[in-house]
Amino acid sequence: LTVTGHVYTIDATPVSAPFFQLAGIGHYGTGTPTQVTELPGTKRVQDGSALEFYAYELTDGGAITYDPAFEPFFDGQGTATLTLVGYEHTVDATGLSAPSIQLASIGHFPTSTPAVVRGLPGTRRVQEQSSPEFATYQLTTAGLIDYTAAVDAFADGAGTSTLTLAGFTIVVDATLMAAPSFSINGIGSFPSNVLATLALLPGSKGFTSTALTFGFTVDAAGLIDYPGTLDAQVSGRGTSTLKILN
């Protein structure tokens, strides 16, 4: 018994992610169309930058079929090539203080200009350069941005094709510190004789100077927290201003 299957093509070249995944088979680069050989049946594909898989059928005759509702972001109905068209959308982080952002499984983008990417609908994640935490948003099956109420506190653009990351306004007051400058890890260096006003996403941050180095967080409401062991040197817990006391 020789099982030959059907040869068909997945063309993921339109999407921004560097790879796509066929469930139960493996990962493939998106630089060129990929030929695969499979038996007829239900298959699932993921573009690499979203968490969800989308199902399609390989018919007994070797043709691709899928839910007509997928047509805006799939192409190739009734042919031997499934094209992952996806949706183009924009992540505008120009209002943030971080010099770059990371879009999970796609890459790093400078915040000097909005990042324009393309991918299948699904759950997507964006990360500020200075923080290990990701913020999550949705690209809907209509190609529009959606997110939770928690993200709404520091972002804009629900119902459009542009996610704007405004962040939270955080002030760092190091004017009492003897050291002439300080750094917020991943953000930049600042003179200590003036207030530094920053736009930051929630997450873990780091303060560094020759006098004092410590970690602090910006919570989902835009308020600062830090270890209790720093209370003699730092104030501002529960506010949006971090003050160095000495």
Side-chain angles (χ1 to χ4, degrees):
L1 174 65
T2 301
V3 180
T4 58
H6 290 297
V7 178
Y8 68 99
T9 300
I10 302 288
D11 183 357
T13 57
V15 302
S16 298
F19 70 92
F20 71 95
Q21 181 179 355
L22 292 175
I25 299 181
H27 294 77
Y28 302 87
T30 58
T32 58
T34 298
Q35 283 193 332
V36 292
T37 303
E38 292 191 90
L39 294 178
T42 301
K43 318 296 177 183
R44 296 187 301 139
V45 64
Q46 178 193 55
D47 84 348
S49 58
L51 302 182
E52 290 78 5
F53 282 90
Y54 287 89
Y56 60 95
E57 296 286 333
L58 182 63
T59 68
D60 290 343
I64 300 292
T65 65
Y66 47 80
D67 187 332
F70 296 173
E71 190 65 33
F73 54 89
F74 272 7
D75 195 17
Q77 187 83 269
T79 75
T81 298
L82 174 64
T83 300
L84 307 184
V85 178
Y87 287 115
E88 186 175 274
H89 68 286
T90 300
V91 179
D92 184 352
T94 55
L96 296 181
S97 296
S100 70
I101 57 168
Q102 180 182 357
L103 296 177
S105 300
I106 297 181
H108 291 82
F109 298 85
T111 56
S112 55
T113 58
V116 180
V117 293
R118 179 178 287 273
L120 296 182
T123 303
R124 300 183 167 275
R125 296 176 298 151
V126 59
Q127 179 189 45
E128 185 182 64
Q129 177 179 308
S130 62
S131 177
E133 293 87 357
F134 282 92
T136 300
Y137 68 97
Q138 298 286 329
L139 184 64
T140 71
T141 54
L144 302 177
I145 300 295
D146 197 13
Y147 42 73
T148 64
V151 174
D152 190 44
F154 57 84
D156 196 11
T160 76
S161 60
T162 298
L163 174 67
T164 300
L165 299 173
F168 290 112
T169 299
I170 300 296
V171 176
V172 180
D173 180 355
T175 55
L176 297 179
M177 189 175 67
S181 66
F182 66 90
S183 297
I184 301 299
N185 299 350
I187 302 294
S189 297
F190 307 90
S192 58
N193 61 345
V194 295
L195 302 182
T197 301
L198 308 174
L200 304 177
L201 294 182
S204 304
K205 317 296 176 185
F207 178 98
T208 301
S209 74
T210 57
L212 182 64
T213 297
F214 64 94
F216 66 98
T217 60
V218 177
D219 69 15
L223 303 178
I224 292 165
D225 197 11
Y226 47 83
T229 53
L230 294 168
D231 284 348
Q233 297 167 289
V234 178
S235 70
R237 182 182 291 109
T239 75
S240 59
T241 298
L242 179 68
K243 187 168 184 176
I244 310 304
L245 300 177
N246 52 53

